[in-house]
Amino acid sequence: IPLSDINESDVLCEGAGRGVMVDANNPGNQRFQALLKLKSNSFRSSSKREKLKMAHLAATLVHESIPRGRFLIMNPDSGLWHEIKEDKAWSKVLRSFILHKSSSSSK
């Protein structure tokens, strides 16, 4: 997916083992960061099962946006963006919640 075909609901992600990148210029990432901020206290105090449900719900909210949001990762060889599978998206969301929790609790 060329950069020109990324829509305002798409969320741009970092590589393996990382969460969603913070890209202040990308509307999809801005909305996603707002969701993390809104739900971070609930996430922190939730059981593991509830945390997984929250990650699933957040990924679903992105996918059900209009236009449909996608979690995208860049192929470093081609420079093009590719949609990641749903289970990888959940993993990215969960990792983003964990990283957000760590950065907000250290302040």
Side-chain angles (χ1 to χ4, degrees):
I1 301 169
L3 189 60
S4 60
D5 290 345
I6 292 173
N7 72 55
E8 64 267 19
S9 299
D10 289 336
V11 178
L12 308 179
C13 302
E14 292 185 345
R18 297 193 168 178
V20 171
M21 72 169 42
V22 178
D23 181 351
N25 297 320
N26 181 46
N29 285 63
Q30 290 172 345
R31 279 189 233 125
F32 184 76
Q33 290 298 320
L35 177 63
L36 289 179
K37 185 176 182 178
L38 181 68
K39 296 294 185 182
S40 65
N41 286 337
S42 297
F43 183 86
R44 217 175 331 214
S45 61
S46 295
S47 67
K48 183 176 181 179
R49 184 178 191 157
E50 288 299 313
K51 288 176 181 176
L52 293 173
K53 284 182 182 180
M54 289 177 73
H56 176 75
L57 178 60
T60 300
L61 289 172
V62 170
H63 287 137
E64 292 180 352
S65 298
I66 298 174
R68 181 185 177 277
R70 303 166 292 184
F71 288 88
L72 304 175
I73 191 165
M74 184 186 284
N75 178 321
D77 296 326
S78 68
L80 296 176
W81 293 89
H82 299 274
E83 185 171 3
I84 60 177
K85 293 181 181 180
E86 196 164 340
D87 62 329
K88 295 262 188 206
W90 295 341
S91 177
K92 293 281 186 192
V93 172
L94 185 60
R95 184 75 177 144
S96 295
F97 268 117
I98 292 167
L99 293 172
H100 190 270
K101 178 186 113 172
S102 298
S103 65
S104 63
S105 63
S106 63
K107 291 181 181 175

